[in-house]
Amino acid sequence: MPIDPDHLLTYAIPPVTQDYGPADIALYALSIGMGQDPMDLRRLAYLGAAGEARAMPSIATVLGHPGFWLADPATGVDALKVVHGEQGMTLHRPLPPRGRITARTRVTGLIDKGPGRGALLYSEKTIANENDAVLATCRGTTFLRGDGGFGGASEPVRAPHQLPDRAPDHVFDTPTRPEQALLYRWNGDPNPLHLDPAVAARAGFPRPILHGLCSYGCAAHALLAVLCDYDDSRFGAMDARFTAHVFPGETLRTEIWADGSFRTRAVERDVIVIGNGLFQHREGS
Ligand SMILES: CCCCCCC[C@@H](O)CC(=O)SCCNC(=O)CCNC(=O)[C@H](O)C(C)(C)COP(=O)(O)OP(=O)(O)OC[C@H]1O[C@@H](n2cnc3c(N)ncnc32)[C@H](O)[C@@H]1OP(=O)(O)O
């Protein structure tokens, strides 16, 4: 049954209010592979190893996470075929290490790629503090592989950032662990595609794949290290496209250019898994 674009475009995703603190931000940092060097105090700052933990900027992508709402049969979406296509975020101010936030997620667009090609669902999440000041805005593209050809518009699509045509200036490796997705899911995405081999097989993968937002967090760590010297107040915005799946246990190598362009490679298979990346410093930092 084709999806009903009007229903999806107006689908009411409930707002999420969340109290978070040191345990949540440490879980997030561990689940994106931070803390593997127990001698590096700059990384360990994000785990609260010495003093209060700092919030990794990319935790904005999971704070107030609405969950895997596309699995609701009322959306009409073939949830088994859903993959995360693109992710962006802008931090308007540094995220405090603890607090109460309210996240509001809404669908902002739906693009029909045609029968057999899929559809793109654009969404936006804003995170506000108790004074209603917006801390961060997150932008997502969900690739609905099984839902093209519903008769919708094929424009406008977001143009992906073009990377420089020269070798990167820096590389930063993050080894992931075979059980990475089992830990990462506790940030709010229990999609069985990442956990259950039978579900992964039905979706067309030989084994469960890593959450896109986990790979995104690994890349954010690389950008924080290389371009911000672990100072989260300098982290402004980050946009990227998920170009191929990642298997937990692979090493993610983020290749970074001085202008903020980046991409991430799964080293063992030599496949670009995040492409078209663009990082920006916070204005004035
Ligand atoms: C906030 C949102 C939250 C969403 C959460 C969802 C729940 C999560 O638990 C799910 C996950 O985390 S899944 C894991 C992470 N994602 C992935 O592994 C997907 C990796 N990418 C792919 O498989 C393919 O690129 C694929 C399948 C994406 C596209 O592959 P192809 O079909 O081969 O694409 P191609 O033929 O090259 O291009 C078709 C048209 O689509 C555009 N496009 C390609 N990749 C895109 C992408 N990643 N995002 C957006 N658009 C994309 C192309 O430009 C092309 O457009 P056009 O026809 O206009 O040229």
Side-chain angles (χ1 to χ4, degrees):
M1 192 180 71
I3 51 176
D4 173 355
D6 293 332
H7 179 60
L8 258 189
L9 283 163
T10 55
Y11 188 88
I13 304 168
V16 177
T17 296
Q18 180 182 358
D19 293 305
Y20 72 97
D24 305 284
I25 59 180
L27 166 68
Y28 177 73
L30 284 170
S31 74
I32 58 164
M34 293 183 87
Q36 295 187 38
D37 181 351
M39 298 304 285
D40 188 341
L41 279 176
R42 295 175 315 159
R43 298 175 200 222
L44 294 176
Y46 292 86
L47 285 147
E52 183 155 48
R54 301 192 65 80
M56 252 307 281
S58 52
I59 197 174
T61 59
V62 302
L63 282 181
H65 198 290
F68 188 39
W69 61 271
L70 281 166
D72 176 359
T75 62
V77 168
D78 181 354
L80 194 59
K81 298 253 177 71
V82 164
V83 290
H84 202 152
E86 296 168 311
Q87 182 66 39
M89 63 173 187
T90 301
L91 298 184
H92 307 294
R93 54 195 86 200
L95 295 168
R98 61 176 75 229
R100 169 172 291 195
I101 55 93
T102 297
R104 293 181 179 82
T105 303
R106 65 189 180 96
V107 177
T108 54
L110 194 58
I111 300 296
D112 192 351
K113 287 289 189 191
R117 298 194 73 217
L120 301 179
L121 181 140
Y122 292 129
S123 61
E124 183 185 88
K125 179 182 80 175
T126 56
I127 300 175
N129 66 14
E130 283 188 285
N131 301 323
D132 236 12
V134 179
L135 304 175
T137 304
C138 298
R139 301 167 283 281
T141 307
T142 309
F143 206 110
L144 313 177
R145 292 183 297 156
D147 296 290
F150 58 88
S154 59
E155 298 284 338
V157 291
R158 282 186 198 143
H161 171 66
Q162 296 307 310
L163 298 178
D165 189 17
R166 62 180 182 85
D169 300 304
H170 312 273
V171 296
F172 186 97
D173 283 358
T174 302
T176 66
R177 300 176 59 90
E179 72 276 25
Q180 201 79 41
L182 302 176
L183 181 63
Y184 184 85
R185 67 159 287 185
W186 294 106
N187 294 299
D189 185 353
N191 183 351
L193 174 63
H194 311 297
L195 312 171
D196 184 335
V199 172
R202 289 210 303 278
F205 298 101
R207 54 194 162 105
I209 63 171
L210 197 58
H211 299 75
L213 286 180
C214 181
S215 309
Y216 183 89
C218 295
H221 175 198
L223 295 162
L224 180 72
V226 170
L227 296 180
C228 304
D229 198 20
Y230 281 102
D231 176 356
D232 55 277
S233 71
R234 299 183 61 205
F235 203 108
M238 171 180 171
D239 285 271
R241 174 177 276 202
F242 300 109
T243 46
H245 57 275
V246 172
F247 292 116
E250 292 183 318
T251 303
L252 295 182
R253 172 168 298 158
T254 299
E255 302 171 344
I256 302 170
W257 284 262
D259 70 352
S261 299
F262 69 94
R263 69 182 171 211
T264 299
R265 187 183 299 275
V267 173
E268 290 79 1
R269 284 180 296 138
D270 195 24
V271 170
I272 303 295
V273 293
I274 298 180
N276 311 95
L278 181 62
F279 165 85
Q280 290 166 283
H281 285 106
R282 182 192 305 284
E283 272 180 40
S285 74

